[in-house]
Amino acid sequence: MQVIDTALDDGVPCLVGTADKLCQPQISPKGSVMVFDATRLAFWERAGRTAIANIGVNGRVVVYYRNPAIKTVWRFYGIARVEAKGALRDAVWVRTIPLEQEKDPDRKGVAVLIDVDMVNDLSGKIIQQA
């Protein structure tokens, strides 16, 4: 799943779907989504708007990756949490792509880690499940 780490450079940034406490959905492009380890995705959140507020009240998220050039579509479902300080935040920052780092030169953003519990393709076929 190395293609997740290069999604923005490939012109296909991931979309992150969140929902507020009333289950109102929101979707946002996130250019810094990365495979953090075998069970987690992560991204650097510099905007600090709706997605972070939603994660604060409802951690369930979906990350949508679609790359028509390689005929791949994946949906990652999981529970997100914000890391506003500490080693995990720093680890995500270090691995954030330079283009996104340049947009947050003062490192005011936060890290978001997602514990992935299921990955499926566009047909719904389960690729990975916790």
Side-chain angles (χ1 to χ4, degrees):
M1 295 194 186
Q2 180 74 23
V3 292
I4 298 297
D5 294 353
T6 61
L8 183 63
D9 288 338
D10 296 338
V12 292
C14 292
L15 301 174
V16 176
T18 62
D20 65 17
K21 64 182 178 183
L22 300 175
C23 297
Q24 181 68 30
Q26 164 74 20
I27 194 157
S28 305
K30 300 295 178 189
S32 60
V33 174
M34 67 186 77
V35 175
F36 191 71
D37 59 29
T39 62
R40 294 182 291 185
L41 296 178
F43 63 92
W44 186 258
E45 174 57 49
R46 59 184 168 73
R49 295 187 299 253
T50 309
I52 288 299
N54 286 353
I55 289 168
V57 296
N58 181 354
R60 295 293 312 171
V61 300
V62 61
V63 176
Y64 182 80
Y65 170 81
R66 177 180 178 268
N67 188 332
I70 61 171
K71 297 181 177 144
T72 301
V73 179
W74 292 320
R75 287 179 286 227
F76 299 81
Y77 298 90
I79 307 254
R81 69 181 185 281
V82 175
E83 297 287 339
K85 58 184 176 178
L88 283 174
R89 177 184 182 269
D90 295 342
V92 171
W93 172 258
V94 167
R95 293 179 51 194
T96 296
I97 61 172
L99 181 61
E100 288 292 322
Q101 286 182 342
E102 290 166 9
K103 293 177 182 177
D104 188 7
D106 297 324
R107 289 183 58 182
K108 292 183 178 181
V110 296
V112 176
L113 278 95
I114 303 166
D115 294 311
V116 176
D117 50 42
M118 185 175 68
V119 181
N120 66 19
D121 65 13
L122 190 58
S123 73
K125 177 183 172 192
I126 296 173
I127 297 167
Q128 180 180 329
Q129 193 164 20

